[in-house]
Amino acid sequence: MKRILTNVNTFARRRQSLHIANLRPLSLTNHPRTIPISTITQNLHTASSKQNATPTATPQDVGPSSSSNPQMAFPCLDALETRTSNLLNNSTPVKKFSSGSGPEPSYTSGPHQSFHCPTPLHLDWGGTLSAYTIAYETWGTLNSNASNAILLHTGLSASSHAHSTPSNPSVGWWEKFIGPGKALDTNKYFVICTNVIGGCYGSTGPSSIDPSTTTTSTSNNGGKGEPYATKFPIVTLEDMVRAQFTLLDHLGIQKLFASVGSSMGGMQSLAAGVLYPERVGRVVSISGCARSHPYSIAMRFVQRQVLMSDPNWSRGHYYSSIPPHIGMKLAREIATVTYRSGPEWEQRFGRLRADSTKPPALCPDFKIETYLDHAGEKWCLEYDANSLLYISKAMDLFDLSEGVQKDARVRRESYTLRRGGDIDEGGQCTLTLPDEAYEEQEQEQEEQAPSSSSSSSSHRQPPRDLIAGLSPLKDHKVLVIGVASDILFPAWQQREIVDALKEGGNENITHVELGEDISLFGHDTFLLDTVNVGGVVGEFLKE
């Protein structure tokens, strides 16, 4: 509370001393948060009195006319403040921002099919969803014996709308890869794509109504119920896959022709084969991994920290208030840095400035800065902040090593853990930060040494536990695609999948690594390259 009030005081002083023209002030009286307006007013008055009681003034405190330099403008901050003000006055609709232009596809949602499962889903970390809904869309026709189904897994933020449909003609996120004669040929295959559990595009997630709050005695919303928010349990990618297979049961599909996915979807695709080896024919994993590695965990952690530091996040309980749009924008900008490659940006932007006739600014100034700003701006109100937190954490937890999977089974069966921490007798999460700060440790010599058979110093022999964990796929045809320019899921992580499968006895692996001479699009290659990604997938499915 002290920090929030300090920020308000600082904001008020800046407004007064800088005489910012034409900037719409925040309407604190309309703010739906629970801070009493009397408290804010009193603190503003106190701060003003203290400021006026100190006659000493520095050159910076004097008006602009006596300064040796003009006050710098901050249009980027003005825009954020204006949006906050508009949200306070309910004049800016949430999730209505255009996805804009550019090479990236839109992650739009819209009309879709829904499957409601009334039976509980017991989760890897001990939580339970008493019932859940899965949003999904399909393309093509399921044949008479239901043997031509392909389950397409999404990336972190995508909806089930991978391709346009009659009910939703908007371009899907994999539009050019699905259809007659394309990678996922709808003349041959029945393609299914879902929004994952934990998402915000129709499947059950943090923004969904918690069924335990739907009675008038427990709800402050007239019996309509309240969102889970951060009472939603921790989920894993494997939990998401198990939910998808209940949908397949509902559709009468006993065995998939193939499981296909890219990025997070590539991780899920492997998990589907590991969890249900008898129900999956072929496996396609593009720009994914068999276990999350420190770099990608670190990047997602920073995104979450930025988002959770937005005061409007309110520890996840913002659904009746202002969404944390500033934190979401910054988190998306950080993520976007990891989606492309430096060489591609060198070609695309170089050192060009947005307007070289104007002096440098601290707001977006270089072309690359305006690109990142646009990426965050177009997305900050289109996706649920809590879904970003939960799904990105699920990616961090991903590890198909045998020991990790065994421990998850034990937790699901015992229900002794829940929501990421021990449950005490009062039902509260007792997770705490470590007592001591982290200190650098000397790594064991054998851990530092790369495999003698590796051509890369960053490519080590996969651990035996991971080899054992992937062993259920030893008889499957598997396609693994990596991209050399990918910094988020580097190509050595796909090589680790291949090596672990080979060590486990699989001789039916197709491994394709696209060099920088083929693609500089980095991680986003799977969204853009219909020839070198789509063509390879199409040929693999034909074999």
Side-chain angles (χ1 to χ4, degrees):
M1 178 68 73
K2 181 178 180 181
R3 182 178 301 171
I4 294 175
L5 293 174
T6 300
N7 290 339
V8 171
N9 296 338
T10 302
F11 178 67
R13 288 197 298 271
R14 288 176 179 172
R15 288 280 175 86
Q16 183 179 12
S17 62
L18 299 181
H19 304 286
I20 300 175
N22 300 321
L23 179 59
R24 187 175 184 179
L26 296 179
S27 177
L28 293 175
T29 56
N30 292 333
H31 201 304
R33 294 171 62 83
T34 57
I35 304 172
I37 190 63
S38 59
T39 302
I40 296 177
T41 305
Q42 179 62 39
N43 277 272
L44 288 174
H45 175 74
T46 302
S48 178
S49 299
K50 290 181 179 179
Q51 183 178 5
N52 293 334
T54 305
T56 304
T58 64
Q60 289 82 0
D61 294 326
V62 183
S65 60
S66 59
S67 174
S68 60
N69 297 289
Q71 169 61 43
M72 184 173 288
F74 294 96
C76 53
L77 300 185
D78 294 346
L80 295 178
E81 292 165 356
T82 297
R83 181 161 61 230
T84 298
S85 180
N86 290 339
L87 287 167
L88 282 168
N89 294 315
N90 297 317
S91 59
T92 298
V94 178
K95 294 187 180 180
K96 297 297 183 182
F97 279 75
S98 168
S99 291
S101 58
E104 295 81 4
S106 169
Y107 290 94
T108 57
S109 64
H112 55 260
Q113 301 177 73
S114 293
F115 163 63
H116 180 74
C117 183
T119 58
L121 179 66
H122 300 301
L123 307 172
D124 279 345
W125 280 95
T128 298
L129 294 177
S130 58
Y132 56 94
T133 298
I134 298 178
Y136 71 100
E137 296 177 49
T138 66
W139 304 267
T141 303
L142 187 65
N143 60 18
S144 58
N145 60 356
S147 63
N148 68 332
I150 292 178
L151 179 58
L152 175 62
H153 305 272
T154 72
L156 185 156
S157 56
S159 69
S160 60
H161 194 61
H163 189 275
S164 54
T165 63
S167 60
N168 185 359
S170 300
V171 174
W173 59 266
W174 234 34
E175 186 79 16
K176 296 181 180 180
F177 293 77
I178 303 171
K182 297 181 180 179
L184 303 188
D185 191 342
T186 50
N187 286 336
K188 298 179 179 180
Y189 310 118
F190 179 65
V191 182
I192 310 161
C193 184
T194 79
N195 180 221
V196 298
I197 291 294
C200 57
Y201 290 130
S203 293
T204 297
S207 59
S208 302
I209 297 298
D210 181 350
S212 68
T213 67
T214 55
T215 62
T216 55
S217 60
T218 59
S219 175
N220 296 322
N221 195 24
K224 296 181 181 179
E226 300 171 354
Y228 281 102
T230 44
K231 292 181 180 180
F232 194 75
I234 289 290
V235 293
T236 65
L237 301 190
E238 294 89 333
D239 292 327
M240 299 172 188
V241 169
R242 278 188 287 272
Q244 289 175 319
F245 273 77
T246 63
L247 169 63
L248 296 181
D249 292 338
H250 169 72
L251 296 176
I253 299 171
Q254 180 58 32
K255 184 174 182 178
L256 291 169
F257 178 79
S259 173
V260 177
S262 306
S263 187
M264 185 184 85
M267 301 156 77
Q268 288 181 285
S269 188
L270 288 173
V274 168
L275 296 177
Y276 300 97
E278 73 287 350
R279 297 190 63 178
V280 177
R282 306 179 186 206
V283 174
V284 176
S285 180
I286 307 166
S287 297
C289 63
R291 54 182 182 141
S292 284
H293 291 266
Y295 176 79
S296 58
I297 292 174
M299 294 305 299
R300 288 188 289 266
F301 166 75
V302 172
Q303 293 170 50
R304 290 196 298 272
Q305 289 289 289
V306 166
L307 172 51
M308 293 163 64
S309 297
D310 186 326
N312 286 317
W313 181 61
S314 300
R315 303 203 174 204
H317 296 274
Y318 52 81
Y319 293 108
S320 61
S321 181
I322 300 175
H325 63 98
I326 297 176
M328 281 291 280
K329 177 179 179 178
L330 295 176
R332 186 62 169 185
E333 290 177 4
I334 295 171
T336 304
V337 171
T338 70
Y339 294 159
R340 294 300 181 92
S341 75
E344 190 248 344
W345 280 348
E346 181 68 31
Q347 290 184 4
R348 189 170 167 189
F349 303 111
R351 290 185 47 79
L352 293 176
R353 295 178 58 216
D355 189 345
S356 60
T357 65
K358 295 181 179 179
L362 296 179
C363 281
D365 181 23
F366 284 92
K367 284 282 190 179
I368 181 61
E369 294 174 329
T370 63
Y371 167 75
L372 294 176
D373 182 73
H374 174 68
E377 190 71 23
K378 74 179 185 179
W379 196 71
C380 65
L381 290 177
E382 287 190 347
Y383 195 77
D384 181 53
N386 284 336
S387 283
L388 174 61
L389 296 174
Y390 276 85
I391 297 177
S392 71
K393 187 64 179 182
M395 294 178 71
D396 292 353
L397 295 171
F398 184 69
D399 188 344
L400 288 178
S401 299
E402 185 178 53
V404 174
Q405 297 302 309
K406 181 179 178 181
D407 290 345
R409 288 194 296 271
V410 171
R411 284 192 298 270
R412 287 199 310 275
E413 293 169 359
S414 64
Y415 313 117
T416 57
L417 296 178
R418 188 185 179 111
R419 299 184 182 94
D422 292 317
I423 289 293
D424 62 15
E425 294 180 357
Q428 299 297 316
C429 178
T430 60
L431 180 67
T432 60
L433 294 176
D435 293 331
E436 297 181 0
Y438 173 78
E439 294 183 2
E440 293 291 343
Q441 302 292 327
E442 290 287 341
Q443 289 189 345
E444 296 294 335
Q445 187 65 32
E446 57 268 23
E447 291 179 348
Q448 292 183 359
S451 169
S452 58
S453 62
S454 170
S455 60
S456 170
S457 61
S458 62
H459 181 206
R460 300 179 176 91
Q461 186 73 13
R464 303 306 304 177
D465 200 30
L466 182 62
I467 295 171
L470 292 179
S471 62
L473 294 175
K474 64 181 179 180
D475 297 321
H476 290 66
K477 287 186 176 181
V478 180
L479 169 63
V480 179
I481 300 179
V483 181
S485 60
D486 189 344
I487 63 173
L488 184 59
F489 287 79
W492 66 264
Q493 295 186 8
Q494 290 84 58
R495 293 186 217 124
E496 181 177 71
I497 298 172
V498 173
D499 289 348
L501 289 171
K502 287 182 177 179
E503 289 289 331
N506 191 322
E507 299 179 353
N508 296 310
I509 306 168
T510 302
H511 178 212
V512 176
E513 185 172 308
L514 305 180
E516 292 188 5
D517 58 323
I518 297 176
S519 176
L520 291 178
F521 288 125
H523 190 61
D524 274 357
T525 298
F526 77 89
L527 293 169
L528 305 172
D529 197 333
T530 57
V531 176
N532 296 299
V533 173
V536 171
V537 171
E539 288 300 316
F540 173 78
L541 296 176
K542 290 178 183 177
E543 296 176 356

